[in-house]
Amino acid sequence: MPEAHASSFKAPKGLLFVVSAPSGAGKTSLVAELLKRDSALTLSVSYTTRPRRSGEVDGKHYHFVDHQRFETMVAEGAFIEYARVFDNAYGTAESSLRETLDGGEDLLLEIDWQGARQVRERFTDAVSIFIVPPSLSALEERLRGRGQDSDAVISERMAKARDELSHWDEYGYLVVNDQFERALADLGTILRAERLRTARQAAREQHRLSAMLGD
Ligand code: 5GP
């Protein structure tokens, strides 16, 4: 390969996927299953001031930090995006995001609409996906099914869910989670198609194409 081509070869960078959904739409279960089936995909672990729920592991589900630590990170510009949801703060650290993408791995962020908006502004080629529940009653049923929350907490969560839902049209893709397996297949299809885009394949397949075209 001529010198100029060799030096213009760019190692493929990972793709950035952003998934949002109103609470209760089934996003977490879908993403967990997607990660099991897709070994090329890494889930970003956010920082949060929210108290740890039972079963959650620090460093796996979230990095649990206090408000002071979170505000210090904000002041230091450590977050690529952050938002306040349900009186708590959530953010994605820039360092780990860049490390994953620069290493050529695809990264998935499971964040709210405020964060998704910030990511799209900074990463114009980020792929954003919104998961829609089949109906508001299905959403409420799922929120109630979670356990001991009072009616007041449920109505607050429903109001937040409707607010999240109102941002559906800011996303590149919409997936309706009326049937789990179909929604999962839809997510897999989006990821596959995005990975096959010419601009992304170019970095991976440049050698092959150059060899065939003799340049
Ligand atoms: P939960 O407290 O139920 O785990 O999450 C509440 C909401 O915060 C969800 O909509 C979730 O997607 C969002 N969230 C989690 N991590 C982040 C983050 O790093 N940034 C933003 N903007 N939202 C997040």
Side-chain angles (χ1 to χ4, degrees):
M1 178 183 282
E3 211 36 44
H5 277 191
S7 60
S8 66
F9 175 77
K10 281 200 228 115
K13 282 204 173 187
L15 278 177
L16 185 55
F17 295 100
V18 177
V19 178
S20 303
S23 163
K27 172 186 61 168
T28 307
S29 315
L30 281 169
V31 166
E33 197 52 42
L34 188 66
L35 287 161
K36 266 196 224 161
R37 298 184 190 190
D38 187 336
S39 57
L41 192 62
T42 301
L43 180 66
S44 165
V45 180
S46 299
Y47 284 77
T48 186
T49 60
R50 164 166 85 55
R52 200 161 57 85
R53 294 186 188 129
S54 78
E56 285 183 331
V57 177
D58 188 30
K60 183 178 176 214
H61 296 94
Y62 283 105
H63 299 291
F64 294 97
V65 293
D66 60 21
H67 283 273
Q68 199 182 346
R69 170 95 185 99
F70 193 93
E71 293 313 326
T72 304
M73 289 182 77
V74 170
E76 288 170 352
F79 294 124
I80 202 100
E81 65 76 30
Y82 68 95
R84 298 176 201 279
V85 187
F86 290 131
D87 300 331
N88 283 303
Y90 298 80
T92 305
E94 176 157 7
S95 55
S96 47
L97 176 140
R98 291 208 182 271
E99 204 176 297
T100 305
L101 296 178
D102 291 347
E105 274 175 69
D106 295 343
L107 185 67
L108 190 147
L109 308 184
E110 209 188 312
I111 61 178
D112 82 324
W113 69 269
Q114 304 173 78
R117 199 180 260 186
Q118 295 166 54
V119 170
R120 272 192 304 265
E121 276 165 17
R122 297 186 64 172
F123 293 82
T124 46
D125 58 353
V127 177
S128 67
I129 307 167
F130 194 83
I131 298 175
V132 186
S135 67
L136 276 186
S137 52
L139 198 71
E140 186 165 350
E141 223 168 85
R142 287 199 194 133
L143 287 179
R144 286 195 185 280
R146 278 185 184 179
Q148 322 86 343
D149 290 330
S150 65
D151 280 353
V153 169
I154 297 284
S155 13
E156 190 196 349
R157 284 181 166 269
M158 283 300 291
K160 292 272 184 193
R162 271 196 294 271
D163 177 44
E164 185 82 27
L165 201 51
S166 70
H167 294 277
W168 64 273
D169 59 351
E170 298 173 20
Y171 289 74
Y173 291 94
L174 283 186
V175 170
V176 178
N177 186 18
D178 50 358
Q179 282 176 36
F180 186 85
E181 281 300 329
R182 196 168 61 198
L184 187 62
D186 286 348
L187 287 174
T189 303
I190 294 165
L191 265 62
R192 180 141 181 78
E194 286 292 338
R195 286 167 173 157
L196 291 172
R197 289 179 78 102
T198 303
R200 281 146 193 168
Q201 286 284 70
R204 277 184 219 106
E205 303 300 342
Q206 191 172 346
H207 285 307
R208 185 196 307 277
L209 289 158
S210 294
M212 286 194 280
L213 293 169
D215 60 11

